[in-house]
Amino acid sequence: MTINTQQTQIITSVKKWINDVIIGLNFCPFAKKEVVRDTIRYCVSDAVYENKALDTVINELSTLDNLSEIQTTLIIFSCGFSDFDKYLDLVDGANEFIERGGYRGLYQIATFHPDYCFDDEKSNDAANYTNRSPYPILHLLREASLEQVLKNYPNPENIPDNNITKARELGVNYFKKQLQIN
């Protein structure tokens, strides 16, 4: 895959977000290890329609199947799925493919979007920033790797609540500054 200048800029902004927010605030205590080991694949997709986006998901799952040294893939949508509801439709389609495509138990999807909003939360609640990103992203994770790290982490069930508490302490303005795309 040839990466152009625009894709490089998009990947750079996502890496900055990962370093400053995800690792910097310890939202994912497992991310730093994969960044340091360089086992994250970044795929920039220009898909604007669900069927093309799902083709990208299928291709990336195949890549993960064939490249065991890659632990996780971030599919970054550079121009599509800015509407959060359409993004959620894509998430449903991708999860359905994982279920029906023989990937259940092998991979799961974590979701990130610039307008992420948890059910039953107001859109301006800082808690939403635990899953807000500079671009719509589908994060494909290997379940076996995730299960392994969770075994060695004390009280992993507390991670989401700890992240929400931290996000609310920092406030919306902090995150708006972090998510500015240069």
Side-chain angles (χ1 to χ4, degrees):
M1 173 170 78
T2 305
I3 297 178
N4 64 36
T5 303
Q6 181 185 16
Q7 291 171 327
T8 299
Q9 290 172 338
I10 290 166
I11 292 169
T12 299
S13 70
V14 169
K15 285 181 175 181
K16 181 180 183 331
W17 165 72
I18 290 170
N19 283 309
D20 294 351
V21 176
I22 303 302
I23 294 172
L25 299 176
N26 202 32
F27 279 174
C28 178
F30 321 116
K32 184 176 182 176
K33 177 182 175 186
E34 301 310 328
V35 168
V36 169
R37 292 176 52 204
D38 195 26
T39 59
I40 301 172
R41 179 173 161 82
Y42 300 88
C43 170
V44 179
S45 172
D46 62 357
V48 293
Y49 297 108
E50 188 174 328
N51 60 343
K52 185 175 179 192
L54 290 175
D55 286 344
T56 303
V57 170
I58 292 165
N59 289 337
E60 290 304 313
L61 288 169
S62 178
T63 298
L64 285 169
D65 281 345
N66 293 313
L67 297 175
S68 61
E69 65 273 15
I70 301 297
Q71 283 302 306
T72 188
T73 296
L74 296 174
I75 303 173
I76 307 159
F77 294 96
S78 60
C79 39
F81 306 97
S82 59
D83 179 89
F84 188 56
D85 289 329
K86 289 186 181 191
Y87 170 79
L88 291 177
D89 291 341
L90 171 62
V91 171
D92 289 343
N95 278 321
E96 186 175 314
F97 177 79
I98 286 176
E99 283 292 317
R100 293 185 180 176
Y103 289 105
R104 184 175 186 218
L106 297 175
Y107 301 105
Q108 64 178 265
I109 299 173
T111 55
F112 301 95
H113 190 278
D115 296 324
Y116 201 97
C117 188
F118 290 106
D119 284 341
D120 302 323
E121 293 292 346
K122 293 181 180 178
S123 65
N124 63 349
D125 189 326
N128 295 311
Y129 283 90
T130 64
N131 285 65
R132 285 196 180 168
S133 57
Y135 296 92
I137 297 172
L138 293 180
H139 183 185
L140 307 178
L141 299 134
R142 293 180 187 275
E143 282 201 13
S145 297
L146 189 57
E147 289 171 5
Q148 187 62 38
V149 296
L150 289 174
K151 284 181 191 176
N152 300 313
Y153 190 82
N155 305 312
E157 67 279 358
N158 294 337
I159 294 171
D161 289 335
N162 293 341
N163 291 350
I164 288 169
T165 299
K166 181 74 166 179
R168 287 179 174 153
E169 287 171 2
L170 292 169
V172 169
N173 289 332
Y174 172 86
F175 289 100
K176 284 183 177 180
K177 290 177 188 173
Q178 293 296 320
L179 288 174
Q180 288 178 348
I181 299 171
N182 299 327

